Amino acid sequence: MLFRSTALEGFNRKLKYLADQLNRPDYQNILDGSRAVISFHATADGRVRPLLALAVRSDVRTGQLKDALRSSGIKNVSDTYTSGVKALALPYDNNGEKDTLLAANVSGLLLFTPSAELMKNAISQTDRDDDVRTAPGFQRILQSSGKNEDKIFIVYSSLPSVLDSVFRSNPVLSAEKTGNIAGSSGCDIYINNNSLILSGYTESTNPDDILYRYKSGAAKVFSNYRILPSATVLFESIIFDPSKQSSQALRKVPAQAAGLAGAMREYTGDEITKAYIDIRSKPVSSNSVIIYELKNRPYAEKIFLDRFSSSITENNIIFFRPDDQINIPVYLTPYKGYVSAFLENYTGTISDSCFAFYDNYLITGSSYATISRILYDNILNKTLANDLAYRDFESSLPSMSGYFFYCVPSRITAYLSEFLSEDIIKIMRENRISLGKIQALGYQLTPSNDMIYNSLSVQFRDEIREESATEW
């Protein structure tokens, strides 16, 4: 694996040690096949602890497991009892960190976990009917998963307790909100030397779920990215459906912005993109833009000028003039909050009061510097559409989707610091070199079979490419 984090080294050592043990002949004689399930759970002390479950042959007893452990070199094995079930305690020292691994043979399953609480819960679960398959949507995504591939499953209602220490207090993104993303997701895992791809389905049965609308939404080939500079390190594109725009949402938008949006909506396309561009020495809030596809750029620009021309002075219009032939106006307007008139649930903090029209797009943002950077890089053809690394990455994802997210993980630490806890941001900074080996990450959602087809692609590279610090 090209990516390695010091924060995960302890867990990786434990997992490798256990895998090495289970591959020994003594264990193969008691296991029933090679399938294993690793799940993660939040315990009462706030820690996230793993549980490993493997199928064992029906005639296997705890004594045989003890013999297998001892024959593999683990001499310090003692008996213990959890919920009336005989288990084995295996003390170990992981680089100075002392802990105990518990093992038990329960209902044809061999269970391993370092948590007595988790072992107790797992044993009691064997006598209950409400297992993970009763979680919202889980049964359906289980049936749609591949038969031979390795898989990963997510039960979103369980995420808040697991991710509580990951997020900082923020109304936009929080651990609590992760529980309302959807019901369940299941993806097949494909790994090669340069990429990790997860593909599968998400099921949402609650209309209040964040992803519910993607079950029946439209899908298209997104195009806004074509004018984004190659220095773009994060963007998300969605499809705007004007037929679902509520009057209640418009009443929450500042009056001037709502009035302009109402007049412009007829000439605005169905694709909206929010992007973060990595410009050195500029704050995150100034480096974000929103791009609207236009159905008819001349009419849209005329409507804008008809409404704004009476307010134009030398103080609220700046001309982008890179040479004698190009002269593009960037308007400093009072239309902050314009995006909220199109995206009802938009909760970003971007101040989108700078407007510019380019090609068949409307570009809004809070900074003339960022908008002019987009214009300048398009003149030089330094865009994502012309970036070979991005084009290679794009080919690993489906061509059509209803939602598209893209990022370069090593270059969005400042952006994420607004949402993630200080401990997580510190880990990211300490592992900057490892993160730099992730060339790009992309995620897509597409309506399919009254569910949501999702694809996640992570592309790796052997060498870290240092970004130029030269300002244009």
Side-chain angles (χ1 to χ4, degrees), residues 151-387:
K151 304 172 184 61
I152 182 170
F153 295 96
I154 301 173
V155 179
Y156 291 98
S157 59
S158 301
L159 283 184
S161 58
V162 175
L163 300 178
D164 185 57
S165 62
V166 172
F167 295 95
R168 65 168 64 243
S169 178
N170 190 299
V172 177
L173 186 62
S174 64
E176 183 180 358
K177 285 190 174 182
T178 62
N180 299 323
I181 291 176
S184 303
S185 288
C187 292
D188 298 328
I189 304 173
Y190 305 93
I191 301 176
N192 59 37
N193 290 334
N194 297 311
S195 65
L196 164 67
I197 296 177
L198 306 180
S199 63
Y201 286 91
T202 292
E203 173 64 313
S204 171
T205 58
N206 185 349
D208 293 331
D209 286 344
I210 296 172
L211 299 186
Y212 183 84
R213 65 190 180 95
Y214 291 102
K215 293 181 63 172
S216 57
K220 64 172 291 184
V221 178
F222 286 114
S223 62
N224 283 4
Y225 78 91
R226 295 181 180 278
I227 68 166
L228 288 173
S230 54
T232 301
V233 293
L234 181 151
F235 75 79
E236 56 178 339
S237 292
I238 67 171
I239 296 176
F240 162 67
D241 186 351
S243 65
K244 295 183 179 180
Q245 183 63 38
S246 69
S247 58
Q248 179 65 31
L250 286 175
R251 285 198 291 269
K252 298 178 181 178
V253 182
Q256 286 182 300
L260 177 64
M264 295 269 283
R265 185 169 289 107
E266 180 181 354
Y267 304 103
T268 301
D270 59 0
E271 182 179 344
I272 300 177
T273 298
K274 177 184 176 182
Y276 171 54
I277 302 169
D278 187 15
I279 302 178
R280 306 291 166 83
S281 75
K282 299 291 184 182
V284 171
S285 59
S286 296
N287 288 354
S288 297
V289 295
I290 297 177
I291 299 173
Y292 303 80
E293 177 189 43
L294 298 177
K295 295 178 183 176
N296 191 318
R297 185 268 182 83
Y299 274 94
E301 190 169 11
K302 180 181 184 303
I303 289 173
F304 170 80
L305 290 175
D306 287 345
R307 286 179 170 265
F308 186 56
S309 59
S310 61
S311 305
I312 293 178
T313 69
E314 61 180 13
N315 295 322
N316 52 21
I317 182 170
I318 305 174
F319 288 94
F320 173 68
R321 295 189 179 104
D323 56 39
D324 294 337
Q325 284 75 42
I326 297 174
N327 186 23
I328 302 175
V330 178
Y331 304 97
L332 312 183
T333 78
Y335 303 127
K336 180 180 178 180
Y338 181 80
V339 64
S340 298
F342 290 85
L343 305 181
E344 182 176 352
N345 297 318
Y346 183 82
T347 54
T349 56
I350 183 174
S351 175
D352 53 345
S353 54
C354 292
F355 280 54
F357 292 87
Y358 176 76
D359 197 11
N360 202 38
Y361 304 94
L362 166 63
I363 306 171
T364 70
S366 61
S367 166
Y368 166 80
T370 305
I371 292 179
S372 59
R373 172 64 178 265
I374 293 177
L375 299 175
Y376 189 71
D377 281 9
N378 272 269
I379 293 171
L380 299 179
N381 289 320
K382 293 174 58 177
T383 61
L384 286 180
N386 294 315
D387 186 87

Side-chain angles (χ1 to χ4, degrees), residues 403-414:
Y403 172 87
F404 183 15
F405 173 86
Y406 164 88
C407 75
V408 181
S410 63
R411 297 172 63 190
I412 60 172
T413 303

